[in-house]
Amino acid sequence: MALWGHFFLSLIGYFLLVRRSSYQGLSYSTGIRAGILLRICLLFTPVFLSEDVFRFLWDGLLVQEGVSPYSILPKDVLLFSNESWKEELLRKMNSPGYYSVYPPLLQALFLFPSFILKESGSVFFGVFSWKILVFLAELGIYYIIRSRNKEEEKTAFLKYWLHPLVLWEGVANGHSEPILFLLLLLSLVFWQKGRSVLAFLFYIGSILTKILPLVLAPYLFFSWIRKRSRKEILFILGIGSILFFGFSYWFFTPFLENELLRKQWTKGLGVYFNLFEFHGAIYYLVKIPMKYTWYPYSAAPALGFISFLWICIYSFLVSRKEGQDKFEILPKIWVSICGIYYILSSTLHPWYVLPILGAATFSGNLWPFAVGAVWILSYSTYSTAQFGDQTWVMILEHSIVYITFAYEFFRSKAPKSSLDP
């Protein structure tokens, strides 16, 4: 309850600041300086919402030693037995009984804070170093907004920059979503400039940081395919299929022999996609009748398939729109596709919302800010001994978000009156 109280007090202060910036002339530079100052202060605070950062450090330490974090459980590692910080990391990290699920680029970034930890012998300095990287990513986001020099974007950006959830889940607790958003934003910047190769590389980099940007792949594919002839499409799809399946066979065969995929499926990514559950309201509703089918765990794969079809249909329809500013259309598409994905997902942690909040800076969507305002309540799950989601909390969260979405949707469809001069 104290956590909720502090957050909602912060939210009230945030609302007053943003309202003042919009209507009473609070300068943009003042808001930016306030955000920077708050982030600097949060660099020195202990993490207080999530233990993910300790797993980041652990994975980085393993990679330094040439050990794959995808194939060995933390409890089975015999390294670092004489280091005092080993027990601290094992005690504080979450999911020590599961293999790492963090993608390769993120694993590479873990090397820096884990090196600092190893050299200093201090977990605090390791965490501090990782927070520095997250802080630098947020400064990169700010730099891109500033370089575009559009007043309406600057005012909207303060809604992201000063948002309590962004501050708490970003620098304060060291989640990597600001790094993901920076890479996506860089991809968008270079696409806008017509530099497709760099745009593609940054997009791939975002996927290698978090797999979430894969949800954009259908839209990007449909956008690309519309500008090609039938012969080009067949040729490139043929070559692409040969390369994809050839690479997959070459890449995954050794893993199958070493049982890496089996390990990841039983105690890694497979657990996340099939068994892990956290405040997915529609998932819970679908799960009830699914329990009586031949495969009681079929809710996640079934909803995943529906989500994929929905995203593909939506992507196909919006890909037909031409002649729009990419900074106008792509953030809206990102927000919508993420909304489709998460509404049917079994898991929605509060920090997952950060890249959607960032995109809402450009898209103008309101509902992501409703999610950002209430999803802190999801931490009530950890207030019970069995770590169970509380029904009344989920009803409250989802009701507020759905009502906000409905209001935004019908307002956008309402006819706009105009007065002739």
Side-chain angles (χ1 to χ4, degrees):
M1 294 300 291
L3 172 72
W4 294 355
H6 290 142
F7 182 82
F8 288 117
L9 282 176
S10 301
L11 201 63
I12 292 170
Y14 159 79
F15 175 77
L16 294 175
L17 276 174
V18 170
R19 183 175 177 83
R20 186 178 176 189
S21 70
S22 301
Y23 300 106
Q24 298 179 19
L26 175 69
S27 71
Y28 170 73
S29 59
T30 301
I32 293 299
R33 291 192 191 102
I36 291 174
L37 181 61
L38 286 168
R39 284 166 170 81
I40 291 173
C41 293
L42 292 171
L43 287 174
F44 298 93
T45 62
V47 294
F48 54 91
L49 291 176
S50 169
E51 303 85 15
D52 286 357
V53 67
F54 301 111
R55 185 59 182 257
F56 298 169
L57 296 174
W58 182 263
D59 283 7
L61 289 164
L62 292 185
V63 173
Q64 281 189 60
E65 298 295 327
V67 177
S68 171
Y70 302 126
S71 60
I72 187 167
L73 298 174
K75 62 183 181 65
D76 295 332
V77 174
L78 301 179
L79 298 168
F80 322 123
S81 56
N82 296 324
E83 303 291 350
S84 59
W85 41 259
K86 179 180 180 179
E87 289 303 318
E88 183 179 354
L89 283 181
L90 289 173
R91 185 177 71 254
K92 291 182 175 180
M93 77 169 64
N94 62 3
S95 305
Y98 295 96
Y99 301 102
S100 179
V101 298
Y102 300 111
L105 183 55
L106 210 54
Q107 296 286 350
L109 293 176
F110 296 159
L111 289 173
F112 170 67
S114 62
F115 172 79
I116 298 298
L117 183 157
K118 198 171 181 181
E119 291 299 310
S120 65
S122 167
V123 172
F124 171 82
F125 284 118
V127 173
F128 179 82
S129 302
W130 174 250
K131 286 184 175 186
I132 288 287
L133 291 182
V134 176
F135 182 39
L136 291 175
E138 296 209 298
L139 289 178
I141 296 168
Y142 157 66
Y143 177 78
I144 292 173
I145 300 296
R146 190 186 72 171
S147 64
R148 284 178 54 77
N149 199 29
K150 292 191 175 184
E151 289 302 320
E152 65 275 12
E153 288 180 5
K154 288 182 177 180
T155 302
F157 179 65
L158 289 180
K159 296 178 184 178
Y160 168 85
W161 186 249
L162 296 173
H163 199 291
L165 192 71
V166 175
L167 294 168
W168 283 29
E169 297 289 6
V171 170
N173 285 278
H175 287 115
S176 60
E177 271 63 21
I179 299 173
L180 165 65
F181 183 54
L182 173 63
L183 293 171
L184 284 173
L185 204 52
L186 286 169
S187 179
L188 179 55
V189 166
F190 286 112
W191 194 13
Q192 176 85 339
K193 293 180 178 180
R195 303 174 69 177
S196 301
V197 174
L198 281 174
F200 177 75
L201 289 176
F202 278 111
Y203 173 64
I204 294 298
S206 69
I207 294 172
L208 294 176
T209 304
K210 288 271 188 174
I211 62 174
L212 177 63
L214 274 175
V215 297
L216 277 177
Y219 168 76
L220 297 175
F221 173 74
F222 289 128
S223 296
W224 171 82
I225 208 172
R226 288 185 63 253
K227 302 172 185 177
R228 301 292 183 272
S229 67
R230 183 174 297 178
K231 288 183 178 180
E232 285 181 304
I233 293 170
L234 291 175
F235 175 76
I236 293 175
L237 286 181
I239 295 298
S241 298
I242 293 171
L243 291 174
F244 174 77
F245 288 112
F247 175 79
S248 297
Y249 177 80
W250 171 80
F251 186 76
F252 287 114
T253 299
F255 289 166
L256 289 171
E257 293 173 357
N258 294 323
E259 297 188 330
L260 177 58
L261 292 184
R262 183 189 63 80
K263 288 180 178 180
Q264 277 292 318
W265 188 252
T266 55
K267 288 189 175 182
L269 276 175
V271 174
Y272 174 81
F273 284 113
N274 288 291
L275 298 178
F276 199 73
E277 304 169 350
F278 190 86
H279 283 250
I282 292 179
Y283 165 81
Y284 286 134
L285 293 175
V286 173
K287 181 182 171 183
I288 295 172
M290 288 292 187
K291 288 193 299 185
Y292 302 101
T293 65
W294 65 275
Y295 183 53
Y297 301 109
S298 58
L303 287 177
F305 180 71
I306 294 171
S307 176
F308 174 73
L309 286 181
W310 190 357
I311 289 172
C312 286
I313 293 170
Y314 171 81
S315 298
F316 174 75
L317 294 175
V318 296
S319 69
R320 302 168 67 184
K321 297 182 179 180
E322 285 287 350
Q324 296 194 47
D325 187 327
K326 290 182 174 61
F327 266 94
E328 178 183 343
I329 186 64
L330 274 174
K332 290 181 180 178
I333 292 169
W334 169 254
V335 170
S336 299
I337 289 178
C338 284
I340 294 170
Y341 175 75
Y342 281 131
I343 197 174
L344 298 178
S345 175
S346 64
T347 305
L348 179 53
H349 287 295
W351 58 89
Y352 291 5
V353 183
L354 269 56
I356 310 177
L357 283 174
T361 296
F362 302 99
S363 69
N365 290 96
L366 183 61
W367 69 262
F369 291 95
V371 181
V374 301
W375 227 256
I376 194 73
L377 297 174
S378 65
Y379 281 108
S380 62
T381 295
Y382 302 114
S383 65
T384 61
Q386 293 78 25
F387 290 166
D389 294 339
Q390 299 188 43
T391 304
W392 73 269
V393 173
M394 287 196 295
I395 292 174
L396 177 61
E397 290 171 336
H398 286 265
S399 297
I400 291 173
V401 174
Y402 294 156
I403 289 170
T404 305
F405 175 80
Y407 165 76
E408 184 176 6
F409 177 80
F410 288 112
R411 187 182 66 172
S412 68
K413 298 297 181 183
K416 297 180 181 179
S417 60
S418 59
L419 295 176
D420 295 329

